[in-house]
Each structure stands twice: as structure tokens, then as C-alpha cells.
């Protein structure tokens, strides 16, 4: 867990996409009523250090721990 927005998906078999700290230059109309654009004093996106731990298993033969 971290303090940033994050999400993930699997659009194709064998592929995982993880997104962290997404940036939107304009309000997306989903309730925040402002752009999601955290920048540092130089205008660059905020660096975020995170470690992800993934548990991969075959759901047909193994239960999740």
C-alpha cells in the first residue's frame, strides 16, 4: 500500500499492466473536480518509490494464500 493512486489490469493473456500515480492534465469528470497533476518545483512529475510484490499462481490448480 502507498499514498498514491494506482491500478492494474490484464488486457491480454500473459500480460500485466500496473499504473501508479497517474497524471491527468485536465479534469476527467469522475468526481475530483480538478486535474491530477502533482509536479515538483521544476514542473516534472513527482518521483514515487514503491515496491510491488506479486503472487502469481494457476487459479485452476492452486488456491491463493
Amino acid at each position: 500500500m502507498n499514498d498514491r493512486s494506482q491500478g492494474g489490469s490484464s488486457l491480454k493473456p500473459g500480460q500485466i499492466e500496473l499504473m501508479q500515480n497517474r497524471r491527468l492534465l485536465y479534469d476527467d469528470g469522475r468526481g475530483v473536480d480538478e486535474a491530477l497533476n502533482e509536479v515538483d518545483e521544476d514542473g516534472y512529475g513527482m518521483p514515487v518509490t514503491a515496491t510491488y510484490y506479486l503472487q502469481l499462481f494457476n487459479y485452476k490448480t492452486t488456491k491463493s494464500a
Side-chain angles (χ1 to χ4, degrees):
M1 300 298 286
N2 61 45
D3 63 344
R4 306 290 175 189
S5 59
Q6 55 189 352
S9 67
S10 177
L11 299 177
K12 297 179 183 176
Q15 195 177 74
I16 297 174
E17 176 184 35
L18 297 176
M19 298 171 287
Q20 176 180 296
N21 199 27
R22 65 189 178 121
R23 294 176 69 190
L24 298 173
L25 299 180
Y26 305 100
D27 177 31
D28 63 0
R30 296 180 184 251
V32 180
D33 292 329
E34 63 183 65
L36 301 174
N37 189 26
E38 289 185 299
V39 294
D40 64 13
E41 59 273 358
D42 296 320
Y44 294 105
M46 299 290 286
V48 177
T49 303
T51 302
Y52 287 93
Y53 297 94
L54 299 176
Q55 178 186 17
L56 304 175
F57 61 94
N58 184 336
Y59 70 92
K60 294 180 181 178
T61 61
T62 308
K63 293 181 180 179
S64 176

